[in-house]
Amino acid sequence: METQQKELATTILELMSKMNYFTKLKPDAENNSFSVPIKLSSYYELNLTVSSLLKIGISLLKKDISSDVTIDLIILLEIALQLLPDDEMELLDEMREINQHGNANL
């Protein structure tokens, strides 16, 4: 029985190594987690995506929802939080400041 299980496990591992499985999650050794790339065409699309996720969250919070939906909502809000472009927002603040100083000198 144990030999059959080992043979089955070996067969499964061989099959997995021949095919290109388990490619969605990208390892992030820095914090021992995984990342999933999301393809977007622009920052505008990123903004729409985050806005949509937040609007869904707000809409669900206004209703009496079950605990399963609450868990789904938490996941959606965590995704929205991770999608926010923090570095880019910092750059926009710096550009706004430069613009204000530039306009003041005109």
Side-chain angles (χ1 to χ4, degrees), residues 11-78:
T11 303
I12 291 171
L13 288 172
E14 287 173 1
L15 175 65
M16 288 171 35
S17 67
K18 290 178 185 175
M19 302 301 287
N20 201 13
Y21 294 116
F22 302 110
T23 59
K24 184 61 77 175
L25 296 177
K26 307 295 181 203
D28 184 357
E30 191 173 299
N31 59 9
N32 198 25
S33 64
F34 295 93
S35 63
V36 180
I38 297 176
K39 293 182 181 184
L40 299 168
S41 63
S42 64
Y43 279 103
Y44 182 74
E45 184 180 359
L46 174 60
N47 186 55
L48 288 177
T49 303
V50 173
S51 295
S52 295
L53 288 170
L54 293 173
K55 286 176 186 175
I56 290 169
I58 291 167
S59 175
L60 287 172
L61 285 171
K62 289 181 177 181
K63 298 179 182 179
D64 187 23
I65 54 177
S66 69
S67 62
D68 289 342
V69 175
T70 301
I71 293 169
D72 292 339
L73 175 58
I74 290 168
I75 292 168
L76 279 179
L77 294 174
E78 286 175 346

Side-chain angles (χ1 to χ4, degrees), residues 89-101:
M89 292 300 140
E90 188 176 320
L91 174 64
L92 287 174
D93 276 343
E94 290 177 22
M95 291 173 63
R96 180 187 50 81
E97 211 172 295
I98 291 169
N99 184 52
Q100 284 180 337
H101 291 303

